[in-house]
Amino acid sequence: RFCFCFGNVNGAVPGEQVKKDENSRRGNWGNQIEFVLTSVGYAVGLGNVWRFPYLCYRNGGGAFMFPYFIMLVFCGIPLFFLELSFGQFTSLGCLGVWKVSPMFKGVGYGMMVVSTYIGIYYNVVICIAFYYFFMSMTNLLPWTYCNNPWNTPDCTGVIGTPRTNATFANVSAVVSGLTEIVNRTKRTSPSEEYWRNYVLNVSDGIGNFGEVRLPILGCLAVSWVVVFLCLIRGVKSSGKVVYFTATFPYVVLTILFIRGITLEGAVSGIKYYLTPQWEKILDAKVWGDAASQIFYSLGCAWGGLITMASYNKFHNNCFRDSIIISVTNCGTSVYAGFVIFSILGFMANHLGVDVSEVADHGPGLAFVAYPEALTLLPISPLWSLLFFFMLILLGLGTQFCLLETLVTAVVDEIGTDWIIKNKTYVTLGVAIVGFLLGVPLTTQAGIYWLLLMDNYAASFSLVVVSCIMCICIMYVYGHKNYFKDVEMMLGFPPPLFFRICWRYVSPFIITFILIFTVIQYKPITYNDYVYPRWSLVIGFAMALSSVICIPIYALFKIAVSEGSTFLERLKNSVKPDPDWGPALQEHRKGRYATAGPESVEVCPLKEKLKDEGKEKLKEKETEKKDEMGLTIPGSNGSTLNPTPSA
């Protein structure tokens, strides 16, 4: 039994085959590769493809890489390591970890609110990718020409249509004609009209919901069913799915990259993407964009990193994992830029315009600019299928973690054996609620609401949540206590660089991001549509709904804490909960041991044996007293007369 206790102390090692979970009640990853792939899938999302390349070319090309990687080193990786170690140490989700200082549990609720908002609209984006994927299963992509019922007279295709074959004799004439049109007025592409007039059938404003787009609603149902089935057994099932969902996007990216660089004009697109404009390094906006992109792309303060790490084994090297995942995430962003701009360079060359005329970001890149460029390629449906399949997988990888964050928070908070055994029903319930809340986003006004949620619900509120988390761990709980916790878990203290970043550098950068976000704020617009003031109020309300959880819960906790004065209640509300610390008794050493550090150093069994020994000694003493009493005259004394062997 002593050997058994020693054997279970160490966590998983890559390549080690472990059939039994260390935490049998809650479960663990099958192996560490599953955790790394899941975290990569979580961090590497749609923003890596449709936001980073655009930010890079807009902020000085290759010069943007310098502040980007500076922010990765001083903010991205330290925050990533902080959240992973936080969740792994306690084996609890984004609510349970705040036993470290119960007054700050509102931060966990704020994370849940943010993950709810993101999960709702993120799956709508995935469902649109599903729709485009299904529509690509044809001989001719439906957004190739301008001769469709949804097209307007302003539509101008990048290749000849049946109506223009008689007018233009050859491709060069088409190109020159289009160049003249582009120079004269802003063109409306068939892909843009397909996106606005057919797929979304966009209404005239955010208040006019119109009708539900049934094809999009059906794809939303498909998307939620896929997410639920992949999470039906929690990390046990999602850990297997990520072997495909987290790796295949790199296969598709490589295929598209090889195809892209072989096209005429690809080099000019890549040059536009990478050519450094060093004078922009002195622009504060460039540094702000770099810091914001690092912060948001890694998924900090969403609660997902804490949740995924909570299923690790206690002694897993999350320091190594944080570096691997963060670097992979940023490397993917850079790699995706080559894929995007090689194709856009080809399209700009075909139209005879500058790359800036065709470059876009967000949904405009994913569903308008890039699909239009794909129509110029031979066997265009094949490339379209690959591209949208890649978007689906990138989105699902993030969506898995968002849903698991909410489910784990609920299950950990209730904590009964019944809900742990029936976690599947919780997952189903959350998926159904997420689907119903996403239905309004499938209406004709859905795109307006989607962009509103993206710009407000998950913007500065994330920065506030992350900043308060750093303050709580480093200054309320105490940096020395946390450094000792990490050393107990990993076997070595956090490197000096990370200790400095956690205490000073990262909070400073987070504060800089917050100030930058406020200074650079501009009311949201969609193309030429200006959002009404009442919709902006709703946007700010969504942003504040996650932040307001923090002071509300703090006041509640202070009110119910013990103490006769406010200061006593405040002091008691920030003290760590008695249950704070490692989840398993075998890991509760040092100050977390219930009966002194030596009693837990070897195994909990040791203390049990000591107690049994004391009980046996007491029994023997009682027997001897009874024996002395029974030798009084009148007693036979035969029954309790001890034998020599006793």
Side-chain angles (χ1 to χ4, degrees), residues 4-70:
F4 175 79
C5 291
F6 277 116
N8 276 331
V9 169
N10 293 325
V13 176
E16 178 187 11
Q17 294 184 355
V18 180
K19 295 182 179 180
K20 188 175 180 181
D21 289 335
E22 182 180 76
N23 191 332
S24 58
R25 186 169 186 265
R26 195 169 182 273
N28 297 108
W29 297 104
N31 55 62
Q32 279 317 112
I33 296 178
E34 292 182 7
F35 166 69
V36 171
L37 289 178
T38 300
S39 299
V40 167
Y42 171 67
V44 177
L46 298 174
N48 296 74
V49 174
W50 74 20
R51 179 169 168 80
F52 173 81
Y54 177 82
L55 283 178
C56 190
Y57 103 82
R58 191 184 71 180
N59 288 305
F64 180 72
M65 301 290 185
F66 180 74
Y68 181 73
F69 284 105
I70 289 292

Side-chain angles (χ1 to χ4, degrees), residues 77-95:
I77 297 178
L79 287 177
F80 207 91
F81 180 31
L82 180 65
E83 292 201 27
L84 291 190
S85 59
F86 195 27
Q88 181 174 306
F89 183 73
T90 57
S91 298
L92 292 171
C94 64
L95 282 183

